[in-house]
Amino acid sequence: MSGAIPERAVELLGEVRRRRPRIHCLMNSVVPKFVADGLSALGAIPSMTSSPEEVGHFVAKADALLVNLGTLDAQRREAIGIAVDVADEKGRPWALDPAHCDYSPPRAAFAQELLARGPAVLRANAAEYDLLAVPADVVAVRTGKADRIAWNGAVLHVENGHPLTALVTGTGCLSGAVIAAFLAVEADPFLAASAAMLVFGIAAEMAGKTATGPGSFEPALLDALASLEGTHILQFAKADNEQG
Ligand SMILES: Nc1ncnc2c1ncn2[C@@H]1O[C@H](COP(=O)(O)OP(=O)(O)OP(=O)(O)O)[C@@H](O)[C@H]1O
Ligand SMILES: Cc1ncsc1CCO
Ligand SMILES: [Mg+2]
């Protein structure tokens, strides 16, 4: 299966750029601009409002939703409840990022409740991931030096990436948004998440070739998300099924 994933990633990146899906992001207060810029660079359209009065309308017509639990507060919790209700009603795919749930038991409990509400994908760093029980119907993405994507017994490792990614706050948040963008154009959530992680990892590698540190890496990553071509994916993809 892994042999076909780079080829599908090329097609899906083309679909994102052609269709320009709108991704509604319930984002934390730390990195909304970076996440919105990353989605725009990729070819999608970000929307970011988290007001409870408006979020339902934004989600109803969005192509996919990202729920990120960073800087969670009472209003964000209310907005997340409404957004997930509407995504459910309208059949919009959504991804969950349980940001920093490892620092706060109430947040971990909320993340676990949300996992039962049917996100297509969970994207978490290793510490967050280890705390949660991911239901069988949710694609589980654990990011780190290598990214691991698991669903229904299929497990893919994506080895692409660059160490500077770990030094820029919000790259995990942006990777969740990229997953949501691919969910908007691909009904198979394992394929969508795999393609997204491949594209993100290869863009990071390209950015790492010119960056001299985290400060220059951040804009270089945005540039790479915009300039990445299908040939780069086919040339650089390092994706393998987990050996049992
Ligand atoms: N050592 C590393 N080498 C290469 N890439 C890495 C490394 N560590 C993390 N990454 C990449 O950095 C991105 C962020 O992953 P990480 O697991 O650090 O998420 P995170 O902690 O949620 O990030 P943030 O909260 O800052 O958004 C992912 O794309 C991941 O593949
Ligand atoms: C640092 C930080 N704190 C809350 S959200 C966020 C960005 C993603 O880690
Ligand atoms: Mg995070």
Side-chain angles (χ1 to χ4, degrees):
M1 185 202 295
S2 62
I5 285 183
E7 286 76 8
R8 296 304 311 274
V10 173
E11 291 169 13
L12 294 179
L13 177 60
E15 279 299 288
V16 169
R17 288 174 175 163
R18 251 191 308 281
R19 290 204 230 163
R20 299 183 60 72
R22 181 164 64 80
I23 311 307
H24 193 75
C25 303
L26 287 173
M27 189 42 57
N28 57 66
S29 63
V30 180
V31 290
K33 172 74 162 70
F34 177 53
V35 170
D37 282 347
L39 280 173
S40 300
L42 181 72
I45 297 173
S47 59
M48 313 296 286
T49 195
S50 59
S51 113
E53 306 80 58
E54 291 193 305
V55 70
H57 298 288
F58 274 78
V59 174
K61 289 188 177 163
D63 298 293
L65 168 69
L66 171 65
V67 173
N68 179 299
L69 302 189
T71 59
L72 191 62
D73 56 25
Q75 182 178 309
R76 282 174 205 279
R77 274 182 188 256
E78 186 187 350
I80 288 168
I82 295 166
V84 171
D85 284 345
V86 172
D88 208 21
E89 226 174 84
K90 301 281 182 186
R92 303 285 182 254
W94 60 286
L96 175 64
D97 182 334
H100 302 291
C101 71
D102 52 325
Y103 297 153
S104 159
R107 191 176 301 182
F110 187 48
Q112 195 62 58
E113 278 170 34
L114 287 170
L115 278 170
R117 298 208 52 198
V121 178
L122 171 81
R123 194 299 309 173
N125 69 28
E128 296 153 359
Y129 188 93
D130 287 348
L131 270 183
L132 299 169
V134 187
D137 57 345
V138 178
V139 174
V141 178
R142 186 189 67 205
T143 53
K145 187 172 182 304
D147 303 314
R148 181 179 185 273
I149 301 112
W151 193 44
N152 264 343
V155 181
L156 189 79
H157 283 254
V158 173
E159 306 274 348
N160 296 100
H162 191 278
L164 283 173
T165 322
L167 298 186
V168 175
T169 300
T171 48
C173 304
L174 176 54
S175 72
V178 171
I179 290 171
F182 279 79
L183 284 173
V185 301
E186 171 53 53
D188 176 337
F190 180 80
L191 184 55
S194 300
M197 296 318 296
L198 210 46
V199 163
F200 196 74
I202 293 170
E205 276 178 23
M206 290 168 62
K209 286 177 186 156
T210 56
T212 53
S216 51
F217 182 78
E218 186 174 320
L221 179 58
L222 297 178
D223 288 350
L225 285 168
S227 63
L228 182 69
E229 289 175 10
T231 49
H232 298 126
I233 298 176
L234 298 179
Q235 189 181 351
F236 299 123
K238 282 185 249 157
D240 284 301
N241 291 313
E242 188 166 285
Q243 301 304 310

